[in-house]
Amino acid sequence: MNVKNLLLPLSLLSLSALAEVEYKLVIEQSEHHLGNVSVIFPKSAQAHLDIKLPDWRTGRYEVLNLANGIRYFDAIDHNGDALNWEKIDKSTWRVHLDNPTQVQVGYQVYANELGKRARHIDDSHAFIDASGFFMFSESFRQEPVTVDLDVPAQWRSVSGMDFAHDEHSFKAKDYDTLVDSPIETGINELHKFKVDERDYELVIWGQGNYSVDQMLLDLKRLVKTGSLIWHDYPYQRYVFMVHSTSGARGATEHINSTIIQRHRDTFAKREDYVSFISTAAHEFIHTWNVKAYRPAGLVPYDYTNPNYSDLLWLSEGSTSYLEDYLLLSAGITNYQEFFSNLTHTLNKHLATPGRQVQSVAESSFDKWINKGGDHGKNYSTNIYQEGAMVSLALDIDLLAHSNGEVSYKDVHSQLYKQFQLPKSFTSNDVKNMLRNISGRDYSQWWEQHINSPLALDIDILLEHVGLEFSRPANAKPIASLDLITKNEGQVLTIEHVARNSSAWQAGLTIADKIVAFNDHHVRDNLNDSLAYFKGGDKVKVDFIRRDKLMSTYVVLDSDFDKRKKVRAIALPNASQQKLFKAWAGIAHPFAN
């Protein structure tokens, strides 16, 4: 279909109130991931109307350059006459107006970015995040919107938005609501349920080894936990969207829904299912933390420029931290799984040299440019991982100094009470709140743990709540190079070298291909190759760099074959039992 066929005279298409923005998406070439969009903007008396497509989408603090999928842009006035336009930057089309008129634009969208959770069309469905499909004008950003879909007859359309004209039509109070309310349309299964007079839906696209009954049972448990932290719910209806597919993975929160993507075969095993329901808990918490209250710098969203904040750790890391609390409190996970997740967080923190370089506040501000990989791991932190660590430290500090009467959950409860959108909060607001609820000044603590690289005594921290972080008794010492390799046939290719390790000091770096240790060819993996050595041994390493065989000598580091684990101490005292219950929501495993 030619996009220009969508540009019919506005007088024939728009009979609604002049202030409403009307969107229409026609899907005709789904196998080629193509859709045609038309947008009708209300009458404008401006000399020109700047029409934009977002550069990023909410919940993912990364410039995505979504306008690269736009073609065949055109514009007409209310009589159907062509309007002059020009593209003034990579995401903005300027339509010139000689006279006051309504404006209709049309364009083609290429939607094949499933993993970015911005837009996807194929012959079985379309996932529609407005940021990847629907242009907007700042002049009409606050006006009501409608979205009409022209999709195959057998498709079903689901969204957190209310229906408008029919089963494939939706409405929202403004563009900000639209851009935060994705639509899943296609061949899917839909399950509806009600908890505490609120309506919920679970829509699943794709086939997999999941159990719908288990999902529904635990989602019903999960959604009841909101009252453990916050005093009310910011929605009346909520939609869980699940993509059971291949390749794409991850999740994104929205104001009245969430989208979760997992490989179709990663639901059945218990550890896989816990990962899924943990993700659901994470996005559910975001309904409050981010979608109901969020830091200054993120209010309002600027869809064509980065929104900077030094508190993204609180938005994301705290959410990661609180998800385990909700799951344990609801009986969805058990002690062992709770401790296992905490073990993973602690060990990942300790295995990241960048924690000694970048503070969690710096990591928050730099989220837009921070990358993973070898350099990122050595010199940066992660707002999820490090934010969870800061949240843990702050939570236990509050509990320990208040005899279990004040916790980090109280901070989030107060943020929701005092800073609901359109308000926002700063670091100073959070510090003032900490002082008000605890009676203590947290300025110095903030400087040491948030504005500076985090340095914690994990043993003392966990002791407060009757836990220990120790290595299994059967752990054995092993030799280590403190690097990560990938087997590529006859060589082990280096993917990461820990900063200041022996391998680092010997000059080994990423992309080097290790061939031999002490003139003996490497085995299939690094640990097996080092099994004949012990820490402190000086070893000759033959490797290939730039297609040239080279050698160096490394004094091997010492490590253990098993990492430390979090476990409950067998004889917790009364204080530890009390603090554990206030912290985890249930009694200590060895409470008397």
Side-chain angles (χ1 to χ4, degrees), residues 214 217-218 221-222 225 228 270 324-335 337 586:
Q214 186 67 54
L217 173 65
D218 287 335
R221 293 172 174 172
L222 173 63
T225 62
L228 295 177
R270 178 59 186 177
D324 292 330
Y325 163 75
L326 292 192
L327 293 174
L328 184 66
S329 298
I332 297 172
T333 56
N334 57 37
Y335 288 114
E337 290 162 340
I586 62 175

Side-chain angles (χ1 to χ4, degrees), residues 31-303:
E31 68 277 13
H32 297 300
H33 316 293
L34 296 173
N36 295 316
V37 175
S38 66
V39 190
I40 301 174
F41 292 100
K43 185 175 182 180
S44 174
Q46 302 169 202
H48 62 261
L49 193 66
D50 284 346
I51 300 172
K52 307 175 182 181
L53 191 74
D55 266 347
W56 61 284
R57 61 159 181 76
T58 65
R60 181 164 180 158
Y61 308 102
E62 175 187 355
V63 174
L64 300 176
N65 290 320
L66 295 167
N68 62 9
I70 304 300
R71 296 293 185 270
Y72 302 119
F73 182 91
D74 212 345
I76 60 175
D77 65 14
H78 68 282
N79 292 318
D81 296 327
L83 292 168
N84 292 324
W85 60 271
E86 60 181 321
K87 195 172 183 182
I88 62 172
D89 62 40
K90 62 186 176 68
S91 303
T92 306
W93 290 255
R94 175 166 291 173
V95 178
H96 296 279
L97 309 179
D98 294 330
N99 299 293
T101 182
Q102 286 182 300
V103 175
Q104 181 183 2
V105 301
Y107 49 90
Q108 182 190 78
V109 176
Y110 177 67
N112 192 24
E113 295 164 316
L114 181 63
K116 294 180 179 179
R117 294 177 294 286
R119 58 185 177 210
H120 188 250
I121 296 173
D122 67 15
D123 58 354
S124 68
H125 92 133
F127 177 70
I128 304 164
D129 186 302
S131 60
F133 283 87
F134 300 138
M135 296 185 183
F136 72 101
S137 170
E138 290 287 356
S139 300
F140 301 110
R141 181 169 163 176
Q142 306 303 320
E143 303 303 329
V145 301
T146 59
V147 178
D148 291 309
L149 306 179
D150 187 342
V151 297
Q154 68 273 28
W155 285 19
R156 172 168 41 215
S157 299
V158 182
S159 175
M161 292 182 287
D162 292 333
F163 286 110
H165 311 127
D166 55 44
E167 62 183 356
H168 298 295
S169 176
F170 300 94
K171 60 184 178 180
K173 65 177 183 178
D174 52 33
Y175 184 81
D176 292 272
T177 303
L178 170 65
V179 85
D180 227 339
S181 306
I183 302 168
E184 174 61 36
T185 180
I187 307 298
N188 54 57
E189 56 178 300
L190 178 64
H191 305 273
K192 298 182 179 182
F193 59 97
K194 184 183 288 286
V195 176
D196 295 334
E197 303 305 315
R198 283 177 287 275
D199 297 313
Y200 297 90
E201 297 176 16
L202 169 64
V203 58
I204 306 173
W205 167 69
Q207 303 297 315
N209 62 356
Y210 52 81
S211 165
V212 170
D213 290 341
Q214 186 67 54
M215 284 183 177
L216 291 173
L217 173 65
D218 287 335
L219 289 176
K220 290 175 182 178
R221 293 172 174 172
L222 173 63
V223 299
K224 291 178 72 69
T225 62
S227 58
L228 295 177
I229 301 176
W230 302 280
H231 61 280
D232 65 23
Y233 286 67
Y235 61 82
Q236 184 57 38
R237 176 171 162 268
Y238 192 91
V239 180
F240 291 95
M241 301 178 180
V242 176
H243 287 169
S244 176
T245 180
S246 57
R249 59 180 297 275
T252 301
E253 74 278 2
H254 293 283
I255 56 174
N256 46 27
S257 59
T258 184
I259 170 64
I260 301 172
Q261 296 176 327
R262 293 184 65 84
H263 190 280
R264 63 184 78 255
D265 297 326
T266 57
F267 292 90
K269 293 181 180 178
R270 178 59 186 177
E271 58 266 34
D272 288 339
Y273 180 75
V274 169
S275 175
F276 161 74
I277 200 66
S278 295
T279 301
H282 182 101
E283 308 309 330
F284 177 64
I285 291 170
H286 273 316
T287 310
W288 290 269
N289 186 19
V290 172
K291 294 308 175 184
Y293 58 88
R294 60 176 175 262
L298 297 181
V299 181
Y301 285 135
D302 182 345
Y303 301 119

Side-chain angles (χ1 to χ4, degrees), residues 251-440:
T252 301
E253 74 278 2
H254 293 283
I255 56 174
N256 46 27
S257 59
T258 184
I259 170 64
I260 301 172
Q261 296 176 327
R262 293 184 65 84
H263 190 280
R264 63 184 78 255
D265 297 326
T266 57
F267 292 90
K269 293 181 180 178
R270 178 59 186 177
E271 58 266 34
D272 288 339
Y273 180 75
V274 169
S275 175
F276 161 74
I277 200 66
S278 295
T279 301
H282 182 101
E283 308 309 330
F284 177 64
I285 291 170
H286 273 316
T287 310
W288 290 269
N289 186 19
V290 172
K291 294 308 175 184
Y293 58 88
R294 60 176 175 262
L298 297 181
V299 181
Y301 285 135
D302 182 345
Y303 301 119
T304 55
N305 292 288
N307 281 96
Y308 295 103
S309 170
D310 61 359
L311 287 171
L312 277 182
W313 66 267
L314 188 150
S315 298
E316 294 293 348
S318 296
T319 300
S320 295
Y321 172 69
L322 291 171
E323 71 190 49
D324 292 330
Y325 163 75
L326 292 192
L327 293 174
L328 184 66
S329 298
I332 297 172
T333 56
N334 57 37
Y335 288 114
Q336 183 178 355
E337 290 162 340
F338 180 71
F339 294 152
S340 177
N341 286 339
L342 182 54
T343 293
H344 176 76
T345 299
L346 294 175
N347 279 317
K348 193 171 182 181
H349 164 75
L350 293 173
T352 304
R355 65 185 169 83
Q356 300 168 329
V357 178
Q358 189 178 54
S359 73
V360 72
E362 292 172 323
S363 180
S364 294
F365 194 86
D366 284 349
K367 178 64 179 72
W368 295 89
I369 59 173
N370 266 358
K371 299 295 181 183
D374 181 65
H375 182 266
K377 191 170 184 178
N378 276 323
Y379 290 96
S380 303
T381 54
N382 178 291
I383 60 171
Y384 296 88
Q385 166 195 309
E386 209 68 0
M389 285 296 301
V390 168
S391 301
L392 170 68
L394 183 53
D395 197 8
I396 294 180
D397 188 86
L398 285 165
L399 287 163
H401 284 90
S402 67
N403 194 27
E405 299 302 317
V406 177
S407 78
Y408 189 47
K409 296 180 282 293
D410 296 314
V411 174
H412 283 270
S413 176
Q414 289 300 313
L415 285 172
Y416 181 51
K417 286 181 179 179
Q418 298 181 31
F419 294 100
Q420 286 191 46
L421 294 174
K423 295 180 180 179
S424 62
F425 58 89
T426 65
S427 294
N428 284 335
D429 289 325
V430 180
K431 285 184 280 187
N432 289 336
M433 182 179 293
L434 286 168
R435 183 176 60 249
N436 291 337
I437 66 176
S438 72
R440 297 171 57 233

Side-chain angles (χ1 to χ4, degrees), residues 446-577:
W446 196 275
E447 287 299 317
Q448 292 177 343
H449 297 82
I450 294 173
N451 290 340
S452 303
L454 183 63
L456 291 176
D457 189 322
I458 294 173
D459 294 329
I460 291 178
L461 190 71
L462 295 183
E463 185 181 4
H464 286 298
V465 290
L467 302 179
E468 62 180 4
F469 187 50
S470 58
R471 212 174 297 280
N474 61 350
K476 298 178 181 178
I478 59 172
S480 172
L481 273 173
D482 211 356
L483 49 77
I484 298 173
T485 61
K486 178 182 180 181
N487 183 291
E488 293 187 335
Q490 300 298 308
V491 299
L492 298 176
T493 301
I494 297 176
E495 295 186 324
H496 169 67
V497 184
R499 180 173 50 83
N500 293 333
S501 65
S502 295
W504 173 282
Q505 293 170 359
L508 292 174
T509 190
I510 58 170
D512 286 349
K513 303 177 187 300
I514 300 175
V515 177
F517 294 120
N518 283 354
D519 299 323
H520 286 79
H521 192 268
V522 294
R523 303 183 68 177
D524 289 344
N525 64 69
L526 185 61
N527 287 339
D528 286 348
S529 300
L530 295 175
Y532 302 99
F533 305 102
K534 63 181 183 298
D537 286 349
K538 186 176 183 180
V539 176
K540 178 188 176 187
V541 181
D542 296 321
F543 61 98
I544 297 171
R545 180 185 294 171
R546 296 187 300 272
D547 297 326
K548 181 181 178 181
L549 184 63
M550 305 175 71
S551 298
T552 189
Y553 285 89
V554 181
V555 176
L556 297 177
D557 296 319
S558 297
D559 201 353
F560 289 88
D561 64 343
K562 292 181 173 63
R563 291 185 171 186
K564 290 184 175 182
K565 292 184 176 181
V566 173
R567 54 173 55 86
I569 63 175
L571 297 172
N573 60 38
S575 175
Q576 289 170 324
Q577 292 181 44

